[in-house]
Each structure stands twice: as C-alpha cells, then as structure tokens.
Amino acid sequence: MSALADTALAHEFPSLDRDGLVYLDSGATSQTPRTVLDAMDDYYAHHRGSVHRGVYPLAVEATELFEGARERVARFVNWGAAETIFTRNGTEALNLVAYAWGDANVGPGDRVVVTEMEHHSNFVPWQQLALRRGATFSVLGVDDEGRLALDELDALLAGGDVKVVAVAHISNVVGTINPLEEIVRRAHDAGAIVVVDGAQAVPQIPVDLGALGADFYGWTGHKAYGPTGIGVLHGSADLLAAMPPFITGGHMIASVSAEETRWAQSPAKFEAGTSNIAEAIGLGAAVDFLQGIGMEHVRTHERELVAYAMERLRAVPGVSLHGPSDPADRGALISFALEGIHPHDVAEILGRDGVCVRAGHHCAQPLMHRLGVGATSRASFAVHNTDEDVDALIAGLAKVQDIFA
C-alpha cells in the first residue's frame, strides 16, 4: 500500500471534485492545489501592483511576494536566488541557454550532444543551434530498456570537441531516471557543460542542484502543481555573468544611452519586461505544498504506485511496457501499448469513463523512432493518486479490449 494512500490529498485539488475522474496525466500537466489558487487570488485581490518599480505599498508588497517566491523556489532545489531565473515555461528556459550561451560559445569545430530520449524542448533548440553555428550535432542512444549508453557518451567526449551535453533528468516517455551526477562528472572532465531538462524530476524526486553540479537546469511550474505561464532556469553564476541576455527591453538594464546599453545582473538581466507575477507567487506556493508533504514521501508514494501499476499492467494480455523494468529506476509514469489497438483509441475509450491518460509521441519523436512505434499510451501519477486509480485504469483497459475483440 502506498505511503500516502490513507491521506491521498485529492481533497486539496478542486478540479478533482468531479465524480468519476481518475487523473493519470500529471506528467503533461499536474492539477493545482487550493493553496496555489489562494496565493494567486490573494495577489490579485490585495497586492496587485508591478514589481521592482514602485515605492508605494502595493508595489512593495507585490515585490516582496514575488522575490519571496523566487527565494523559496531556489531553496527548494538548493540553488541561489540570484541564479534562479523566471521564464514563461521550461521550453523558454532551455531556449534561453541555447541562444544566450550557445550563440556566444558554440561554433564550427564544436560538437553538441543530446540524448535520444529528450523532449523536443531539449532537442530542437540544440539541433537548431548546431545548424546556426555550423557545429556538429550528435545524438546519444538508449538501450532496449530506455537507459543511456554511457560508453557511447565517453566515446563522444573523448574527441575533445564536445561543448555541451543536453540531457533529461527523467524521461517523459520511458520514465528513466538518468545518472545525472555521473553524466555531469564525465562531461566536466572533458570540458563540456551540461544542460538538464528537469521538468519531470522536480515534482517527483528530491532534487539537490548543489550536489548534481549541472551548469543549467530548467523546469516548469505547470507540472509541479503550479500554474501555467511560469518556468525556471537555474544557472551557474559564472556562466550567467558572462552570457548576453536572451530578450532585451525594460527592467533588464543597468543603464541605457544613445551610445550603449549596460545589462543588469542576474536574474533581472534575463527577465525583460513585466514579470509573470501571479504565476511566480503561485509557484512559490506550489513548492511550499510539496515541501509540506516532503519530497522523500512524494518519491516513495509514486514509486510504490508505479510498482503496483507495472504489476497490474503486466497481467493484462497483449500489453507491452516501455522503459526500465525496475520501478526504482523510473519516475512516476508508465508508457505502454495494447497489441492491435492504437494508443489514441485507448485514451479516447478510457476517457469516456473518466480515466485520463496521454496518447501520442509525447513531444519525443526521436525516442519513438528508437522504440519502433509512432505513439504510446502513458499513465503518469501524482501525490493524489491511489492504488484504486490504477485499478480503474486496468478495468478500463479490459473494456478497451472488449470493444476491439
């Protein structure tokens, strides 16, 4: 029985009050707890003002809420607030690095390495950087269980031309938890930086960026019980100081004249324009929500749910699972296929009975090619899910098979 099963937290999420709803798509977008909604409403109702610009009470209060959220978000992953940048989403966080750091540091004769399991957000920006800058683009493969081929990484790094390695902390398709500390160590030994897509990891496992040592780490609020419209980039202080900004305009300057513009320091340097104030405040409440549960408890709960789901799924005739066979090696999601039935049909029929799963290529088409499929069905779990939700999934799959029998 899961560690949180007796107090499943579903009552914390207003959207889950709908009768018969079994939400198994948190890997795409998590539901939002009341505390996050309340924090955002409180800003709009009582502290509505622009941040960093005014000296009147509303503006001061808004700034304190906004920067207080930044401090809590940074502390949540053991990183500095000045090196924690708010973006619109995880995709923008990773593009910021690819443009601002990449265009200044990558050129002909350099190599950019991504993995075969990357979400397009951490694949396409680096592919396009290599095309823009005339660099070599290499894709690090995965084995049949969805694990990275680290010997292949060593061979690439041995060439001495790798400038950046882009890697997911947890795959959004096969769920693999990658050995990030080891990858960072090998890359740094070869003189390369490491850029991590942490969108799946931050809401699922304890993340200590100080221990991991990655140069850049991006993630998004809407998968971590926060609102849409907010993402985060954590970066190395030295690299951020040396980088030009990604977007220019208001707020991110130290001074402007007809002759030159001087940039502000991080994080303002990378946050041009009016900030996503309510969303940042909401994200601060979301990490408070997770810390209130405890990330070790979150991890234990979701690992046990995945183990139970894998056991039940393996007993379904004609089912195949993608990713590591050991639940301890994967995050809180399972991609699967039913023999002879398209994943979209599976998801549509399950949805009729309120069971919400994802179907498609999950913005990871290179990995789909490696798996030899066009799409998969994916169930992803959260703190509010229980064994009974897994049972509902299994019952729904039996109904799908009955319809197609």
Side-chain angles (χ1 to χ4, degrees), residues 54-271:
V55 295
Y56 51 86
L58 277 179
V60 172
E61 292 163 13
T63 299
E64 289 175 348
L65 289 170
F66 180 78
E67 291 300 335
R70 188 196 309 274
E71 290 172 4
R72 300 200 305 283
V73 167
R75 191 162 54 245
F76 183 62
V77 293
N78 189 27
W79 204 247
E83 296 77 44
T84 294
I85 297 156
F86 286 136
T87 62
R88 291 180 303 162
N89 44 50
T91 299
E92 184 178 277
L94 297 167
N95 271 272
L96 190 162
V97 184
Y99 278 93
W101 179 88
D103 281 350
N105 290 278
V106 174
D110 294 329
R111 186 181 302 272
V112 174
V113 177
V114 304
T115 85
E116 202 169 25
M117 68 172 63
E118 295 310 302
H119 188 283
H120 295 162
S121 295
N122 205 30
F123 190 103
V124 177
W126 302 107
Q127 180 192 62
Q128 297 305 303
L129 169 67
L131 290 171
R132 278 198 314 276
R133 303 296 299 159
T136 301
F137 183 70
S138 296
V139 180
L140 179 65
V142 301
D143 65 17
D144 291 341
E145 275 214 338
R147 301 176 192 275
L148 293 177
L150 293 186
D151 55 345
E152 184 180 329
L153 174 62
D154 287 339
L156 288 168
L157 293 171
D161 59 351
V162 177
K163 293 298 289 284
V164 56
V165 176
V167 58
H169 198 164
I170 296 179
S171 166
N172 74 309
V173 176
V174 291
T176 309
I177 303 175
N178 286 315
L180 204 52
E181 286 187 67
E182 181 63 20
I183 292 169
V184 169
R185 183 188 64 78
R186 296 185 191 201
H188 284 177
D189 287 348
I193 73 160
V194 178
V195 181
V196 181
D197 174 3
Q200 296 295 330
V202 170
Q204 297 181 27
I205 64 175
V207 173
D208 183 342
L209 296 187
L212 292 174
D215 301 279
F216 295 99
Y217 193 103
W219 54 287
T220 190
H222 75 97
K223 299 182 193 292
Y225 306 100
T228 57
I230 186 75
V232 186
L233 176 68
H234 306 282
S236 160
D238 291 343
L239 294 179
L240 291 173
M243 285 163 51
F246 178 35
I247 299 172
T248 58
H251 177 63
M252 46 73 65
I253 57 92
S255 66
V256 177
S257 69
E259 292 73 33
E260 68 171 350
T261 297
R262 294 170 52 244
W263 315 128
Q265 295 181 337
S266 179
K269 177 181 177 181
F270 301 102
E271 294 180 356

Side-chain angles (χ1 to χ4, degrees), residues 1 31 48 53 110 121 200 250 256 272 274 285 325 334 347 371 396:
M1 184 62 69
Q31 296 301 317
R48 173 68 160 162
R53 294 179 175 88
D110 294 329
S121 295
Q200 296 295 330
V256 177
T274 300
S325 56
I334 302 171
L371 297 175

Side-chain angles (χ1 to χ4, degrees), residues 279-328:
E279 290 79 8
I281 291 168
L283 184 58
V287 300
D288 290 345
F289 171 78
L290 282 168
Q291 284 192 310
I293 300 169
M295 288 309 298
E296 292 290 351
H297 292 300
V298 171
R299 172 59 182 154
T300 298
H301 172 70
E302 294 177 350
R303 184 182 64 241
E304 292 176 358
L305 267 178
V306 166
Y308 179 65
M310 291 176 72
E311 178 186 351
R312 294 294 319 269
L313 283 165
R314 285 174 178 143
V316 175
V319 76
S320 58
L321 307 183
H322 300 291
S325 56
D326 188 343

Side-chain angles (χ1 to χ4, degrees), residues 372-391:
V373 299
T376 71
S377 300
R378 185 188 70 188
S380 50
F381 305 98
V383 296
H384 51 74
N385 291 123
T386 65
D387 291 352
E388 288 72 23
D389 293 336
V390 175
D391 295 338

